Amino acid sequence: MDEKKIFAIIENRNDDLIYKKAQIELFFLSHPDEAERAEYLRSAYQDRFTEILADGARLGYRPQKNGLLMWEGAYLSRTSESVFSWKLVAGFTAQLIDKREYYVNTEIKPFVPMESQQLTLFDMPAFDQPEDTPVAPLLSHPKLPQQIMDEALCVGSNDEHSRLIICAYFMKDKPDNAAFLQKHYGENGAGFYFGGEKVSLWYDAEGMRIARGSTAQRSNATLISWEEAAKRIRELLELGRYMPQSELDEVDHYERMRLADSIAYTSRDMTTEARNAGFLPLAMLAQSVKGGYPETQKQIYELLCAPDTLQKCVDEWTAFNAALDAGQDLLRFRFYRPKEILERLRDLQREPLHFTVADGFAPDRQFFISADEIDKVLRGWDGSTDYRLGVYAFYATHKDKTEREKYLKDYHG
């Protein structure tokens, strides 16, 4: 749904809520707290399906426990839908009140429904507001339906485990989600299908650009800042519309296995000085078990699952980092990140947020390689580029079968 239709629902022109619009305005005037406003509005919406006509478009809404479900078209044949948390609904309402566009035209009588779908249907005349009246934006440069932007945020970065990593971090309820997303996404692109149509993403330090078609590197792309992305992803997680249950069930296990992997590789490359001094005793004990790396990773993973051994891991990595800061030569290579390991260990001790998945939420996502991704490969191979992109880009620019065979032979050896 686009922003104009979202605000058409929020405006509630026929004053059809449990509380009258004058009451809502008065409450907002005397209660500046966002949470109080959200809870008040949650109690204001009648528990039923309601549909309206706005500028000839059929729209509908129904309150849910965690937010307001909005859709376009008749509910049983709706063409798009989005769920907005009550805090976001309160924010939309506040924007209209501040612009003095909320408590107007409240004496419109509902029309008798033209068709029956066991819903509460209300028809209403077109807005008398001029079409060129600006509407406060939901996100920077909003030019796409909210459902497409939500789907773009749910794609994650160009990593098959991206959503698991993002969800694990957001569960920590830390204040730097936006900075985390910027670092996690880096600079890259992606492409997905929405309703059979191609939609492309490009993300960099400024945020995420989204556009229909094979490229997001265009001036009319919708830009979502990392602050906006962090806020909406948190909303979607709370609404249970970010990832399917099968992925959510993997988050905790994957996070610990990933950290166990970092600990295993870093501790393996300690210097002789560090080993002789007895640093990282639990990690070194795991390194001594038979079975090689898989068994070492498994042993460390089990240490991270028990609160007492997790605390011991925190203690030994705290001592290890203190010795590094003091100038001791403890690692053979400089590219390891022992401070990051310690931070991740401490994060495991935080009381996590618990997210659930909305009933029936099981998106069937399909992806394609965007032109932006191909262009990135063609601008220069950096050694870390996804293999599939390298092959795709070469095939796109080299039609000769012999050249393609030579490319694959040279790559694989």
Side-chain angles (χ1 to χ4, degrees):
M1 295 180 65
D2 63 34
E3 186 177 336
K4 186 176 181 180
K5 291 170 182 172
I6 293 170
F7 275 89
I9 291 175
I10 296 296
E11 280 179 338
N12 181 31
R13 285 297 181 95
N14 58 6
D15 207 10
D16 188 51
L17 303 186
I18 294 174
Y19 310 132
K20 293 300 181 182
K21 296 169 78 171
Q23 293 175 275
I24 295 173
E25 281 203 13
L26 183 60
F27 185 91
F28 272 54
L29 182 64
S30 57
H31 295 79
D33 181 75
E34 186 182 49
E36 291 182 357
R37 291 177 171 181
E39 183 61 22
Y40 180 77
L41 282 182
R42 188 179 71 84
S43 66
Y45 281 80
Q46 303 187 58
D47 186 17
R48 66 185 187 188
F49 293 89
T50 304
E51 293 189 351
I52 63 174
L53 287 178
D55 284 345
R58 186 169 182 172
L59 311 173
Y61 62 89
R62 186 186 184 185
Q64 298 184 342
K65 180 179 179 181
N66 294 326
L68 188 63
L69 170 66
M70 304 183 191
W71 64 86
E72 185 173 1
Y75 180 75
L76 299 181
S77 58
R78 57 196 181 278
T79 57
S80 64
E81 68 176 19
S82 293
V83 179
F84 298 93
S85 74
W86 291 113
K87 284 187 177 180
L88 204 52
V89 172
F92 294 158
T93 304
Q95 288 186 43
L96 292 173
I97 291 174
D98 291 341
K99 293 166 60 182
R100 299 187 178 182
E101 296 177 359
Y102 188 64
Y103 186 47
V104 292
N105 195 20
T106 60
E107 297 181 354
I108 297 175
K109 296 181 180 180
F111 279 66
V112 176
M114 297 297 293
E115 59 184 285
S116 174
Q117 296 191 33
Q118 294 184 339
L119 304 175
T120 303
L121 304 177
F122 291 99
D123 291 337
M124 52 186 289
F127 292 137
D128 53 10
Q129 175 177 309
E131 289 187 3
D132 59 351
T133 301
V135 180
L138 167 62
L139 296 170
S140 302
H141 313 301
K143 298 175 182 177
L144 290 172
Q146 183 66 36
Q147 197 171 2
I148 290 182
M149 292 191 285
D150 285 350
E151 188 65 17
L153 293 172
C154 292
V155 167
S157 71
N158 220 324
D159 182 308
E160 62 176 319
H161 300 298
S162 176
R163 283 189 296 271
L164 302 181
I165 297 171
I166 291 171
C167 182
Y169 197 88
F170 275 58
M171 282 180 170
K172 304 300 181 291
D173 199 22
K174 301 176 76 173
D176 60 344
N177 286 338
F180 160 77
L181 287 178
Q182 180 179 340
K183 180 179 179 182
H184 174 71
Y185 274 84
E187 183 174 351
N188 207 337
F192 67 93
Y193 290 94
F194 184 85
E197 183 181 25
K198 286 184 175 181
V199 179
S200 296
L201 317 175
W202 181 259
Y203 28 87
D204 54 24
E206 292 184 357
M208 180 185 297
R209 287 174 172 80
I210 313 169
R212 289 185 170 95
S214 299
T215 175
Q217 298 272 42
R218 54 180 65 174
S219 60
N220 64 346
T222 296
L223 173 64
I224 301 178
S225 71
W226 293 119
E227 289 75 16
E228 292 165 336
K231 182 177 180 180
R232 185 55 180 164
I233 288 175
R234 173 67 179 269
E235 296 268 357
L236 292 168
L237 281 165
E238 291 177 342
L239 294 168
R241 290 176 172 266
Y242 181 72
M243 63 200 312
Q245 188 66 53
S246 59
E247 290 185 9
L248 184 61
D249 292 341
E250 294 180 33
V251 171
D252 186 72
H253 174 79
Y254 180 76
E255 179 185 22
R256 283 170 167 77
M257 287 296 286
R258 185 165 164 259
L259 179 52
D261 178 79
S262 297
I263 291 174
Y265 276 108
T266 303
S267 61
R268 184 188 63 180
D269 280 332
M270 286 199 305
T271 62
T272 302
E273 176 186 342
R275 294 171 185 269
N276 292 339
F279 283 104
L280 307 181
L282 289 178
M284 296 311 298
L285 181 62
Q287 294 282 1
S288 67
V289 300
K290 295 181 179 180
Y293 172 78
E295 189 61 30
T296 296
Q297 185 188 35
K298 178 182 176 182
Q299 292 291 323
I300 296 175
Y301 169 82
E302 292 176 354
L303 293 173
L304 302 181
C305 291
D308 56 340
T309 50
L310 174 59
Q311 180 59 55
K312 291 179 180 178
C313 289
V314 170
D315 293 340
E316 67 179 42
W317 281 90
T318 298
F320 187 73
N321 275 280
L324 284 171
D325 290 341
Q328 291 186 242
D329 184 21
L330 305 181
L331 288 171
R332 294 166 55 202
F333 305 105
R334 300 288 184 182
F335 55 76
Y336 290 112
R337 300 174 179 175
K339 291 185 182 297
E340 182 179 298
I341 289 176
L342 177 57
E343 181 181 2
R344 291 162 65 188
L345 285 168
R346 288 172 173 164
D347 282 348
L348 291 180
Q349 295 182 307
R350 298 173 69 96
E351 184 66 28
L353 298 174
H354 295 285
F355 301 122
T356 57
V357 177
D359 292 341
F361 183 74
D364 180 19
R365 297 183 171 118
Q366 295 181 318
F367 304 94
F368 69 93
I369 299 175
S370 69
D372 299 328
E373 295 174 85
I374 298 171
D375 288 344
K376 182 183 179 184
V377 176
L378 296 177
R379 285 197 299 268
W381 184 271
D382 62 4
S384 62
T385 306
D386 192 327
Y387 166 73
R388 69 191 178 100
L389 299 182
V391 174
Y392 189 100
F394 189 89
Y395 271 54
T397 54
H398 297 77
K399 305 300 182 182
D400 184 74
K401 180 179 179 181
T402 302
E403 290 182 348
R404 291 178 173 181
E405 290 177 349
K406 183 177 184 302
Y407 171 83
L408 292 176
K409 181 179 179 181
D410 292 342
Y411 187 93
H412 291 284

